[in-house]
């Protein structure tokens, strides 16, 4: 797999394995939900070299969204206050990616735990695949 970046902009992030489920926010945690215009489901992607940062774009656009972070004490993604806030995209297929992070030189992949929660695994076999759809205006 090769790491890549995408053009900066706003994206919806859909699970390839669970079609119709999008990266969302619930109670301060990152999870998967069906499309919901009342929830944060658009993510502003910015690049820093080979790394990307994802910041929520609230539907009301009144307040600034928080950055997706990794909470290493619970091995989950959180909405703000994560110890790690930059990730790499591994190009998997034509338009799908695996999302990785490094923690003390350990390579970890985003993983869908129970059909809803997003956590991490070091086993590439269980790494979730994602489709990022640009929705910048």
């Amino acid at each position: 797999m090769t790491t890549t970046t995408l053009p900066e902009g706003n994206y919806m992030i859909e699970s390839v394995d669970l079609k119709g489920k999008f990266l969302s926010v619930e109670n301060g945690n990152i999870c998967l939900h069906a499309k919901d215009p009342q929830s944060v489901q658009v993510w502003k992607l910015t690049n820093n070299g080979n790394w990307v940062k994802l910041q929520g774009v609230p539907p009301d656009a009144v307040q600034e969204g928080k950055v997706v972070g990794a909470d290493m004490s619970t091995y989950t993604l959180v909405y703000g206050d994560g110890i790690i806030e930059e990730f790499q995209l591994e190009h998997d297929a034509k338009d799908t990616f695996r999302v990785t992070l490094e923690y003390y030189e350990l390579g970890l992949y985003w993983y869908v735990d129970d059909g809803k929660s997003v956590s991490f695994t070091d086993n590439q076999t269980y790494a979730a695949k994602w489709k990022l759809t640009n929705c910048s205006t």
Side-chain angles (χ1 to χ4, degrees), residues 59-84:
D60 60 13
V62 172
Q63 58 189 1
E64 187 171 330
K66 297 178 184 176
V67 174
V68 173
D71 181 337
M72 300 314 295
S73 65
T74 61
Y75 256 49
T76 58
L77 288 181
V78 293
Y79 191 52
D81 301 323
I83 193 168
I84 297 171

Side-chain angles (χ1 to χ4, degrees), residues 6 11 15 17 33 40 47 55-56 60 67 83 87 106 113 119 127 131:
L6 292 172
Y11 290 84
S15 169
D17 305 308
H33 275 292
V40 173
N47 294 310
Q55 181 178 1
D60 60 13
V67 174
I83 193 168
F87 305 94
L106 179 63
D113 190 16
S119 59
K131 180 175 183 176

Side-chain angles (χ1 to χ4, degrees), residues 12-67:
M12 289 192 74
I13 303 173
E14 181 179 11
S15 169
V16 171
D17 305 308
L18 299 167
K19 290 211 181 294
K21 299 287 183 170
F22 295 86
L23 206 65
S24 303
V25 177
E26 181 178 277
N27 299 322
N29 291 313
I30 303 297
C31 58
L32 294 179
H33 275 292
K35 259 189 177 175
D36 179 0
Q38 303 303 312
S39 179
V40 173
Q41 290 187 319
V42 174
W43 303 94
K44 180 181 177 183
L45 181 145
T46 55
N47 294 310
N48 182 11
N50 288 334
W51 298 89
V52 299
K53 188 178 275 191
L54 299 165
Q55 181 178 1
V57 179
D60 60 13
V62 172
Q63 58 189 1
E64 187 171 330
K66 297 178 184 176
V67 174

